[in-house]
Amino acid sequence: MNTRGLRSQLKDTVAVTGLCPQAGAYGVQDTLRKGFTSVKNELLPSHPLELSEKNFQLNQDKMNFATLRNIQGLHAPLKLQMEYRAARQIQRLPFLQSSNIALDTLRGSDEYIGFEDILNGKNVVGTHMR
Amino acid sequence: MATLSVCQIPSSGFSFDYCKRNALLEAEITKLGFNAPAARKTGTTICGLVFKDGVILGADTRATEGMVVADKNCSKIHYISPNIYCCGAGTAADTEMTTQIISSNLELHSLSTGRLPRVATANRMLKQMLFRYQGYIGAALVLGGVDCMGPHLYSIYPHGSTDKLPYVTMGSGSLAAMAVFEDRYKPDMEEEVAKQLVRDAIAAGIFNDLGSGSNIDLCVITKSKVDYLRPHDEANKKGVRAGSYRYKHGTTGVLTKTVVPLDLEVLEETVQTMDTS
């Protein structure tokens, strides 16, 4: 397993020197969730599926584009990626979360229900707004 | 602040935040001599068989949680689409959620194509999902149905491999059920003979395997109809008590009786309307 650059794969944060390397949201070690500090804790993923799930959509896209290129030629993935880029740019105001409806339609994920649609904290009984 | 993080929406789907903590806790608990809570499994006997007009799926109805029976009459034959049903063995929550997700996706897909869904489509969707999670979703399934190309039967393992066969068994009682199938299966059987064979295979699993028990459910799928027989046969009936063990009124003599009235006064009365919309 390639451990070089593994830390950058696991985390989306840039570590600031001088502070605890495993800082959570408030700058201190999140002992309850992440356990005690250790180098091994930081470099290795906490679950074998963590990395594969993080990059799943990217890898799927890469594979699909490569297949498309082999079948139809370079123009097909090129045009599609241009459309994805254009759809990704349709956003709301800077601090608002976009619904990504154009992107979903392009990807075909508007007709697909996965775990991300169920396990998103919104379907818990009794948490609806009045 | 302390770290510069990419501004992200909270991620949905599986979260691996607590994995390290859980591993630590489990190690600590085992040191003290206790066991971590076990997931509810359906240590099971499920089987399926292709007969002349269609497919018959059979299952027992016991769900276990470690060494205790958690549910004496659980339903293991799940609906996928009007012409496709799926039996599930393994972790109960995993089989339940997986079959529900695939059922929803298959419904969306069939609305998009405008046709009755095919069993091969359901099989492909299931195997791709189970392989994606590398066997961590503990769902062993027997998928059967009748579509435009005839009756089909698949067995799907938790890691994502599938087999297309005329008769399959899964679960902890699969060996007992397979023994019955191997002895008496013939291609192109009649419906009644096939139902009896599936019933006997599940009964073999019930009586010879600790993880299977209670009743036998059957699901007969043909081109024109689906018969969901629940329960088809109650193999393990709870015994009826032979005598009555209740004490008659007046068995214990009353010696004294004291009545103490409690003086309570109403201090405050509030009405809270219920939202019954």
Side-chain angles (χ1 to χ4, degrees), chain A residues 77-108:
Chain A
L78 216 56
K79 284 198 180 132
L80 266 178
Q81 278 181 321
M82 191 184 74
E83 285 179 21
Y84 279 144
R85 204 165 279 221
R88 217 171 286 142
Q89 285 182 343
I90 305 171
Q91 299 283 319
R92 295 181 184 161
L93 289 176
F95 52 90
L96 290 177
Q97 191 184 327
S98 165
S99 68
N100 287 325
I101 198 167
L103 200 56
D104 275 347
T105 314
L106 265 178
R107 275 216 190 100

PDB file of all heavy atoms in Angstrom, chain A residues 77-108:
ATOM      1  N   PRO A  77     -15.649  11.757 -24.326  1.00  0.00           N
ATOM      2  CA  PRO A  77     -15.425  12.190 -22.941  1.00  0.00           C
ATOM      3  C   PRO A  77     -15.128  13.678 -22.854  1.00  0.00           C
ATOM      4  O   PRO A  77     -15.491  14.330 -21.873  1.00  0.00           O
ATOM      5  CB  PRO A  77     -14.228  11.365 -22.480  1.00  0.00           C
ATOM      6  CG  PRO A  77     -13.606  10.843 -23.694  1.00  0.00           C
ATOM      7  CD  PRO A  77     -14.649  10.752 -24.724  1.00  0.00           C
ATOM      8  N   LEU A  78     -14.496  14.232 -23.873  1.00  0.00           N
ATOM      9  CA  LEU A  78     -14.177  15.656 -23.859  1.00  0.00           C
ATOM     10  C   LEU A  78     -15.447  16.486 -23.783  1.00  0.00           C
ATOM     11  O   LEU A  78     -15.581  17.396 -22.962  1.00  0.00           O
ATOM     12  CB  LEU A  78     -13.404  15.992 -25.131  1.00  0.00           C
ATOM     13  CG  LEU A  78     -12.301  17.021 -25.015  1.00  0.00           C
ATOM     14  CD1 LEU A  78     -11.316  16.609 -23.956  1.00  0.00           C
ATOM     15  CD2 LEU A  78     -11.596  17.157 -26.350  1.00  0.00           C
ATOM     16  N   LYS A  79     -16.413  16.178 -24.629  1.00  0.00           N
ATOM     17  CA  LYS A  79     -17.669  16.937 -24.646  1.00  0.00           C
ATOM     18  C   LYS A  79     -18.402  16.758 -23.328  1.00  0.00           C
ATOM     19  O   LYS A  79     -18.927  17.717 -22.755  1.00  0.00           O
ATOM     20  CB  LYS A  79     -18.562  16.462 -25.799  1.00  0.00           C
ATOM     21  CG  LYS A  79     -18.129  16.954 -27.126  1.00  0.00           C
ATOM     22  CD  LYS A  79     -19.248  16.857 -28.160  1.00  0.00           C
ATOM     23  CE  LYS A  79     -18.742  17.384 -29.484  1.00  0.00           C
ATOM     24  NZ  LYS A  79     -19.031  16.505 -30.602  1.00  0.00           N
ATOM     25  N   LEU A  80     -18.422  15.506 -22.828  1.00  0.00           N
ATOM     26  CA  LEU A  80     -19.129  15.242 -21.580  1.00  0.00           C
ATOM     27  C   LEU A  80     -18.502  15.987 -20.417  1.00  0.00           C
ATOM     28  O   LEU A  80     -19.197  16.587 -19.596  1.00  0.00           O
ATOM     29  CB  LEU A  80     -19.110  13.738 -21.279  1.00  0.00           C
ATOM     30  CG  LEU A  80     -20.313  12.950 -21.769  1.00  0.00           C
ATOM     31  CD1 LEU A  80     -20.122  11.489 -21.443  1.00  0.00           C
ATOM     32  CD2 LEU A  80     -21.591  13.448 -21.135  1.00  0.00           C
ATOM     33  N   GLN A  81     -17.188  15.985 -20.353  1.00  0.00           N
ATOM     34  CA  GLN A  81     -16.532  16.673 -19.246  1.00  0.00           C
ATOM     35  C   GLN A  81     -16.750  18.169 -19.326  1.00  0.00           C
ATOM     36  O   GLN A  81     -16.866  18.843 -18.306  1.00  0.00           O
ATOM     37  CB  GLN A  81     -15.030  16.342 -19.234  1.00  0.00           C
ATOM     38  CG  GLN A  81     -14.797  15.019 -18.554  1.00  0.00           C
ATOM     39  CD  GLN A  81     -13.347  14.641 -18.474  1.00  0.00           C
ATOM     40  OE1 GLN A  81     -12.590  14.866 -19.417  1.00  0.00           O
ATOM     41  NE2 GLN A  81     -12.959  14.053 -17.378  1.00  0.00           N
ATOM     42  N   MET A  82     -16.835  18.687 -20.548  1.00  0.00           N
ATOM     43  CA  MET A  82     -17.144  20.102 -20.694  1.00  0.00           C
ATOM     44  C   MET A  82     -18.532  20.396 -20.142  1.00  0.00           C
ATOM     45  O   MET A  82     -18.753  21.383 -19.439  1.00  0.00           O
ATOM     46  CB  MET A  82     -17.079  20.474 -22.166  1.00  0.00           C
ATOM     47  CG  MET A  82     -17.118  21.947 -22.434  1.00  0.00           C
ATOM     48  SD  MET A  82     -17.145  22.311 -24.180  1.00  0.00           S
ATOM     49  CE  MET A  82     -18.793  21.871 -24.612  1.00  0.00           C
ATOM     50  N   GLU A  83     -19.476  19.486 -20.412  1.00  0.00           N
ATOM     51  CA  GLU A  83     -20.836  19.680 -19.896  1.00  0.00           C
ATOM     52  C   GLU A  83     -20.871  19.583 -18.379  1.00  0.00           C
ATOM     53  O   GLU A  83     -21.551  20.363 -17.701  1.00  0.00           O
ATOM     54  CB  GLU A  83     -21.775  18.640 -20.513  1.00  0.00           C
ATOM     55  CG  GLU A  83     -22.118  18.945 -21.948  1.00  0.00           C
ATOM     56  CD  GLU A  83     -23.033  17.886 -22.546  1.00  0.00           C
ATOM     57  OE1 GLU A  83     -23.694  17.167 -21.784  1.00  0.00           O
ATOM     58  OE2 GLU A  83     -23.078  17.790 -23.775  1.00  0.00           O
ATOM     59  N   TYR A  84     -20.104  18.623 -17.829  1.00  0.00           N
ATOM     60  CA  TYR A  84     -20.046  18.509 -16.366  1.00  0.00           C
ATOM     61  C   TYR A  84     -19.508  19.790 -15.749  1.00  0.00           C
ATOM     62  O   TYR A  84     -20.014  20.302 -14.759  1.00  0.00           O
ATOM     63  CB  TYR A  84     -19.124  17.353 -15.944  1.00  0.00           C
ATOM     64  CG  TYR A  84     -19.765  15.993 -16.012  1.00  0.00           C
ATOM     65  CD1 TYR A  84     -19.023  14.890 -16.398  1.00  0.00           C
ATOM     66  CD2 TYR A  84     -21.087  15.797 -15.679  1.00  0.00           C
ATOM     67  CE1 TYR A  84     -19.587  13.639 -16.466  1.00  0.00           C
ATOM     68  CE2 TYR A  84     -21.665  14.557 -15.751  1.00  0.00           C
ATOM     69  CZ  TYR A  84     -20.911  13.471 -16.141  1.00  0.00           C
ATOM     70  OH  TYR A  84     -21.479  12.229 -16.224  1.00  0.00           O
ATOM     71  N   ARG A  85     -18.451  20.304 -16.364  1.00  0.00           N
ATOM     72  CA  ARG A  85     -17.846  21.529 -15.841  1.00  0.00           C
ATOM     73  C   ARG A  85     -18.848  22.673 -15.864  1.00  0.00           C
ATOM     74  O   ARG A  85     -18.953  23.447 -14.913  1.00  0.00           O
ATOM     75  CB  ARG A  85     -16.616  21.881 -16.668  1.00  0.00           C
ATOM     76  CG  ARG A  85     -15.603  22.734 -15.953  1.00  0.00           C
ATOM     77  CD  ARG A  85     -14.324  22.711 -16.705  1.00  0.00           C
ATOM     78  NE  ARG A  85     -13.578  21.494 -16.383  1.00  0.00           N
ATOM     79  CZ  ARG A  85     -12.274  21.464 -16.185  1.00  0.00           C
ATOM     80  NH1 ARG A  85     -11.592  22.567 -16.279  1.00  0.00           N
ATOM     81  NH2 ARG A  85     -11.659  20.333 -15.923  1.00  0.00           N
ATOM     82  N   ALA A  86     -19.567  22.781 -16.970  1.00  0.00           N
ATOM     83  CA  ALA A  86     -20.567  23.847 -17.076  1.00  0.00           C
ATOM     84  C   ALA A  86     -21.664  23.663 -16.029  1.00  0.00           C
ATOM     85  O   ALA A  86     -22.060  24.623 -15.358  1.00  0.00           O
ATOM     86  CB  ALA A  86     -21.170  23.836 -18.478  1.00  0.00           C
ATOM     87  N   ALA A  87     -22.137  22.437 -15.847  1.00  0.00           N
ATOM     88  CA  ALA A  87     -23.212  22.172 -14.874  1.00  0.00           C
ATOM     89  C   ALA A  87     -22.736  22.446 -13.459  1.00  0.00           C
ATOM     90  O   ALA A  87     -23.500  22.916 -12.613  1.00  0.00           O
ATOM     91  CB  ALA A  87     -23.678  20.730 -15.001  1.00  0.00           C
ATOM     92  N   ARG A  88     -21.460  22.152 -13.182  1.00  0.00           N
ATOM     93  CA  ARG A  88     -20.939  22.369 -11.830  1.00  0.00           C
ATOM     94  C   ARG A  88     -20.860  23.852 -11.497  1.00  0.00           C
ATOM     95  O   ARG A  88     -20.837  24.232 -10.334  1.00  0.00           O
ATOM     96  CB  ARG A  88     -19.547  21.756 -11.712  1.00  0.00           C
ATOM     97  CG  ARG A  88     -19.260  21.125 -10.369  1.00  0.00           C
ATOM     98  CD  ARG A  88     -17.977  20.365 -10.373  1.00  0.00           C
ATOM     99  NE  ARG A  88     -18.107  19.107 -11.095  1.00  0.00           N
ATOM    100  CZ  ARG A  88     -17.182  18.578 -11.873  1.00  0.00           C
ATOM    101  NH1 ARG A  88     -16.046  19.192 -12.065  1.00  0.00           N
ATOM    102  NH2 ARG A  88     -17.395  17.434 -12.480  1.00  0.00           N
ATOM    103  N   GLN A  89     -20.829  24.690 -12.514  1.00  0.00           N
ATOM    104  CA  GLN A  89     -20.692  26.119 -12.249  1.00  0.00           C
ATOM    105  C   GLN A  89     -22.008  26.785 -11.921  1.00  0.00           C
ATOM    106  O   GLN A  89     -22.026  27.930 -11.490  1.00  0.00           O
ATOM    107  CB  GLN A  89     -20.070  26.801 -13.459  1.00  0.00           C
ATOM    108  CG  GLN A  89     -18.610  26.512 -13.562  1.00  0.00           C
ATOM    109  CD  GLN A  89     -17.977  27.211 -14.733  1.00  0.00           C
ATOM    110  OE1 GLN A  89     -18.681  27.663 -15.634  1.00  0.00           O
ATOM    111  NE2 GLN A  89     -16.675  27.323 -14.705  1.00  0.00           N
ATOM    112  N   ILE A  90     -23.114  26.078 -12.132  1.00  0.00           N
ATOM    113  CA  ILE A  90     -24.420  26.654 -11.797  1.00  0.00           C
ATOM    114  C   ILE A  90     -24.604  26.533 -10.301  1.00  0.00           C
ATOM    115  O   ILE A  90     -24.880  25.474  -9.767  1.00  0.00           O
ATOM    116  CB  ILE A  90     -25.558  25.900 -12.514  1.00  0.00           C
ATOM    117  CG1 ILE A  90     -25.290  25.875 -14.017  1.00  0.00           C
ATOM    118  CG2 ILE A  90     -26.890  26.555 -12.221  1.00  0.00           C
ATOM    119  CD1 ILE A  90     -26.245  24.960 -14.749  1.00  0.00           C
ATOM    120  N   GLN A  91     -24.390  27.653  -9.593  1.00  0.00           N
ATOM    121  CA  GLN A  91     -24.482  27.615  -8.136  1.00  0.00           C
ATOM    122  C   GLN A  91     -25.413  28.714  -7.659  1.00  0.00           C
ATOM    123  O   GLN A  91     -25.764  29.616  -8.403  1.00  0.00           O
ATOM    124  CB  GLN A  91     -23.094  27.837  -7.513  1.00  0.00           C
ATOM    125  CG  GLN A  91     -22.075  26.796  -7.904  1.00  0.00           C
ATOM    126  CD  GLN A  91     -22.268  25.507  -7.162  1.00  0.00           C
ATOM    127  OE1 GLN A  91     -22.539  25.538  -5.970  1.00  0.00           O
ATOM    128  NE2 GLN A  91     -22.164  24.389  -7.842  1.00  0.00           N
ATOM    129  N   ARG A  92     -25.778  28.631  -6.395  1.00  0.00           N
ATOM    130  CA  ARG A  92     -26.587  29.707  -5.802  1.00  0.00           C
ATOM    131  C   ARG A  92     -25.648  30.735  -5.179  1.00  0.00           C
ATOM    132  O   ARG A  92     -24.469  30.794  -5.508  1.00  0.00           O
ATOM    133  CB  ARG A  92     -27.499  29.115  -4.753  1.00  0.00           C
ATOM    134  CG  ARG A  92     -28.497  28.174  -5.372  1.00  0.00           C
ATOM    135  CD  ARG A  92     -29.412  27.597  -4.345  1.00  0.00           C
ATOM    136  NE  ARG A  92     -30.313  26.624  -4.952  1.00  0.00           N
ATOM    137  CZ  ARG A  92     -30.970  25.716  -4.282  1.00  0.00           C
ATOM    138  NH1 ARG A  92     -30.823  25.625  -2.977  1.00  0.00           N
ATOM    139  NH2 ARG A  92     -31.768  24.868  -4.903  1.00  0.00           N
ATOM    140  N   LEU A  93     -26.144  31.554  -4.262  1.00  0.00           N
ATOM    141  CA  LEU A  93     -25.316  32.540  -3.576  1.00  0.00           C
ATOM    142  C   LEU A  93     -24.173  31.840  -2.841  1.00  0.00           C
ATOM    143  O   LEU A  93     -24.295  30.676  -2.492  1.00  0.00           O
ATOM    144  CB  LEU A  93     -26.180  33.324  -2.578  1.00  0.00           C
ATOM    145  CG  LEU A  93     -27.175  34.300  -3.214  1.00  0.00           C
ATOM    146  CD1 LEU A  93     -28.032  34.926  -2.132  1.00  0.00           C
ATOM    147  CD2 LEU A  93     -26.455  35.356  -4.010  1.00  0.00           C
ATOM    148  N   PRO A  94     -23.074  32.575  -2.587  1.00  0.00           N
ATOM    149  CA  PRO A  94     -21.834  31.940  -2.117  1.00  0.00           C
ATOM    150  C   PRO A  94     -21.982  31.027  -0.909  1.00  0.00           C
ATOM    151  O   PRO A  94     -21.290  30.035  -0.804  1.00  0.00           O
ATOM    152  CB  PRO A  94     -20.946  33.123  -1.765  1.00  0.00           C
ATOM    153  CG  PRO A  94     -21.419  34.215  -2.611  1.00  0.00           C
ATOM    154  CD  PRO A  94     -22.874  33.998  -2.852  1.00  0.00           C
ATOM    155  N   PHE A  95     -22.843  31.317   0.019  1.00  0.00           N
ATOM    156  CA  PHE A  95     -22.891  30.520   1.237  1.00  0.00           C
ATOM    157  C   PHE A  95     -24.011  29.477   1.210  1.00  0.00           C
ATOM    158  O   PHE A  95     -24.192  28.723   2.144  1.00  0.00           O
ATOM    159  CB  PHE A  95     -23.076  31.425   2.460  1.00  0.00           C
ATOM    160  CG  PHE A  95     -24.241  32.361   2.321  1.00  0.00           C
ATOM    161  CD1 PHE A  95     -25.498  31.994   2.752  1.00  0.00           C
ATOM    162  CD2 PHE A  95     -24.073  33.592   1.729  1.00  0.00           C
ATOM    163  CE1 PHE A  95     -26.569  32.853   2.619  1.00  0.00           C
ATOM    164  CE2 PHE A  95     -25.136  34.456   1.584  1.00  0.00           C
ATOM    165  CZ  PHE A  95     -26.391  34.090   2.026  1.00  0.00           C
ATOM    166  N   LEU A  96     -24.793  29.454   0.127  1.00  0.00           N
ATOM    167  CA  LEU A  96     -25.920  28.520   0.053  1.00  0.00           C
ATOM    168  C   LEU A  96     -25.506  27.249  -0.666  1.00  0.00           C
ATOM    169  O   LEU A  96     -24.691  27.276  -1.581  1.00  0.00           O
ATOM    170  CB  LEU A  96     -27.100  29.159  -0.680  1.00  0.00           C
ATOM    171  CG  LEU A  96     -27.806  30.284   0.049  1.00  0.00           C
ATOM    172  CD1 LEU A  96     -28.909  30.859  -0.832  1.00  0.00           C
ATOM    173  CD2 LEU A  96     -28.414  29.774   1.353  1.00  0.00           C
ATOM    174  N   GLN A  97     -26.113  26.144  -0.222  1.00  0.00           N
ATOM    175  CA  GLN A  97     -25.790  24.851  -0.817  1.00  0.00           C
ATOM    176  C   GLN A  97     -26.627  24.634  -2.074  1.00  0.00           C
ATOM    177  O   GLN A  97     -27.827  24.836  -2.056  1.00  0.00           O
ATOM    178  CB  GLN A  97     -26.143  23.794   0.225  1.00  0.00           C
ATOM    179  CG  GLN A  97     -25.651  22.417  -0.089  1.00  0.00           C
ATOM    180  CD  GLN A  97     -26.149  21.472   0.968  1.00  0.00           C
ATOM    181  OE1 GLN A  97     -26.294  21.854   2.121  1.00  0.00           O
ATOM    182  NE2 GLN A  97     -26.441  20.256   0.582  1.00  0.00           N
ATOM    183  N   SER A  98     -25.965  24.236  -3.147  1.00  0.00           N
ATOM    184  CA  SER A  98     -26.689  24.054  -4.404  1.00  0.00           C
ATOM    185  C   SER A  98     -27.349  22.694  -4.453  1.00  0.00           C
ATOM    186  O   SER A  98     -26.865  21.736  -3.865  1.00  0.00           O
ATOM    187  CB  SER A  98     -25.720  24.193  -5.568  1.00  0.00           C
ATOM    188  OG  SER A  98     -26.308  23.687  -6.742  1.00  0.00           O
ATOM    189  N   SER A  99     -28.464  22.598  -5.186  1.00  0.00           N
ATOM    190  CA  SER A  99     -29.135  21.302  -5.285  1.00  0.00           C
ATOM    191  C   SER A  99     -28.493  20.429  -6.344  1.00  0.00           C
ATOM    192  O   SER A  99     -28.764  19.244  -6.413  1.00  0.00           O
ATOM    193  CB  SER A  99     -30.609  21.500  -5.623  1.00  0.00           C
ATOM    194  OG  SER A  99     -30.728  22.003  -6.940  1.00  0.00           O
ATOM    195  N   ASN A 100     -27.640  21.001  -7.192  1.00  0.00           N
ATOM    196  CA  ASN A 100     -26.923  20.232  -8.216  1.00  0.00           C
ATOM    197  C   ASN A 100     -27.845  19.455  -9.135  1.00  0.00           C
ATOM    198  O   ASN A 100     -27.552  18.342  -9.525  1.00  0.00           O
ATOM    199  CB  ASN A 100     -25.946  19.244  -7.559  1.00  0.00           C
ATOM    200  CG  ASN A 100     -24.764  19.962  -6.975  1.00  0.00           C
ATOM    201  OD1 ASN A 100     -24.304  20.959  -7.508  1.00  0.00           O
ATOM    202  ND2 ASN A 100     -24.288  19.452  -5.854  1.00  0.00           N
ATOM    203  N   ILE A 101     -28.953  20.042  -9.496  1.00  0.00           N
ATOM    204  CA  ILE A 101     -29.939  19.279 -10.272  1.00  0.00           C
ATOM    205  C   ILE A 101     -29.451  19.000 -11.684  1.00  0.00           C
ATOM    206  O   ILE A 101     -29.666  17.923 -12.238  1.00  0.00           O
ATOM    207  CB  ILE A 101     -31.302  20.020 -10.236  1.00  0.00           C
ATOM    208  CG1 ILE A 101     -32.418  19.062 -10.632  1.00  0.00           C
ATOM    209  CG2 ILE A 101     -31.301  21.234 -11.118  1.00  0.00           C
ATOM    210  CD1 ILE A 101     -33.779  19.601 -10.318  1.00  0.00           C
ATOM    211  N   ALA A 102     -28.730  19.974 -12.269  1.00  0.00           N
ATOM    212  CA  ALA A 102     -28.234  19.761 -13.638  1.00  0.00           C
ATOM    213  C   ALA A 102     -27.164  18.676 -13.639  1.00  0.00           C
ATOM    214  O   ALA A 102     -27.136  17.797 -14.512  1.00  0.00           O
ATOM    215  CB  ALA A 102     -27.672  21.064 -14.192  1.00  0.00           C
ATOM    216  N   LEU A 103     -26.304  18.728 -12.651  1.00  0.00           N
ATOM    217  CA  LEU A 103     -25.229  17.737 -12.542  1.00  0.00           C
ATOM    218  C   LEU A 103     -25.803  16.345 -12.319  1.00  0.00           C
ATOM    219  O   LEU A 103     -25.352  15.362 -12.921  1.00  0.00           O
ATOM    220  CB  LEU A 103     -24.323  18.145 -11.382  1.00  0.00           C
ATOM    221  CG  LEU A 103     -22.920  17.566 -11.374  1.00  0.00           C
ATOM    222  CD1 LEU A 103     -22.209  17.889 -12.648  1.00  0.00           C
ATOM    223  CD2 LEU A 103     -22.159  18.088 -10.170  1.00  0.00           C
ATOM    224  N   ASP A 104     -26.824  16.261 -11.474  1.00  0.00           N
ATOM    225  CA  ASP A 104     -27.463  14.967 -11.201  1.00  0.00           C
ATOM    226  C   ASP A 104     -28.080  14.382 -12.461  1.00  0.00           C
ATOM    227  O   ASP A 104     -27.985  13.192 -12.732  1.00  0.00           O
ATOM    228  CB  ASP A 104     -28.569  15.133 -10.148  1.00  0.00           C
ATOM    229  CG  ASP A 104     -28.011  15.068  -8.748  1.00  0.00           C
ATOM    230  OD1 ASP A 104     -26.843  14.662  -8.609  1.00  0.00           O
ATOM    231  OD2 ASP A 104     -28.737  15.413  -7.805  1.00  0.00           O
ATOM    232  N   THR A 105     -28.741  15.268 -13.225  1.00  0.00           N
ATOM    233  CA  THR A 105     -29.391  14.770 -14.448  1.00  0.00           C
ATOM    234  C   THR A 105     -28.352  14.266 -15.442  1.00  0.00           C
ATOM    235  O   THR A 105     -28.522  13.223 -16.061  1.00  0.00           O
ATOM    236  CB  THR A 105     -30.210  15.899 -15.098  1.00  0.00           C
ATOM    237  OG1 THR A 105     -30.967  16.546 -14.095  1.00  0.00           O
ATOM    238  CG2 THR A 105     -31.130  15.345 -16.164  1.00  0.00           C
ATOM    239  N   LEU A 106     -27.231  15.000 -15.558  1.00  0.00           N
ATOM    240  CA  LEU A 106     -26.177  14.569 -16.483  1.00  0.00           C
ATOM    241  C   LEU A 106     -25.605  13.229 -16.080  1.00  0.00           C
ATOM    242  O   LEU A 106     -25.390  12.337 -16.892  1.00  0.00           O
ATOM    243  CB  LEU A 106     -25.034  15.593 -16.483  1.00  0.00           C
ATOM    244  CG  LEU A 106     -25.050  16.654 -17.553  1.00  0.00           C
ATOM    245  CD1 LEU A 106     -23.873  17.577 -17.335  1.00  0.00           C
ATOM    246  CD2 LEU A 106     -24.974  16.029 -18.932  1.00  0.00           C
ATOM    247  N   ARG A 107     -25.378  13.096 -14.754  1.00  0.00           N
ATOM    248  CA  ARG A 107     -24.747  11.869 -14.259  1.00  0.00           C
ATOM    249  C   ARG A 107     -25.706  10.696 -14.281  1.00  0.00           C
ATOM    250  O   ARG A 107     -25.297   9.560 -14.294  1.00  0.00           O
ATOM    251  CB  ARG A 107     -24.310  12.072 -12.811  1.00  0.00           C
ATOM    252  CG  ARG A 107     -23.002  12.691 -12.674  1.00  0.00           C
ATOM    253  CD  ARG A 107     -22.272  12.105 -11.468  1.00  0.00           C
ATOM    254  NE  ARG A 107     -21.103  12.920 -11.246  1.00  0.00           N
ATOM    255  CZ  ARG A 107     -21.037  13.864 -10.326  1.00  0.00           C
ATOM    256  NH1 ARG A 107     -22.034  14.057  -9.513  1.00  0.00           N
ATOM    257  NH2 ARG A 107     -19.950  14.598 -10.210  1.00  0.00           N
ATOM    258  N   GLY A 108     -26.995  10.982 -14.221  1.00  0.00           N
ATOM    259  CA  GLY A 108     -27.972   9.897 -14.133  1.00  0.00           C
ATOM    260  C   GLY A 108     -28.268   9.532 -12.700  1.00  0.00           C
ATOM    261  O   GLY A 108     -28.975   8.574 -12.441  1.00  0.00           O
TER     262      GLY A 108
END
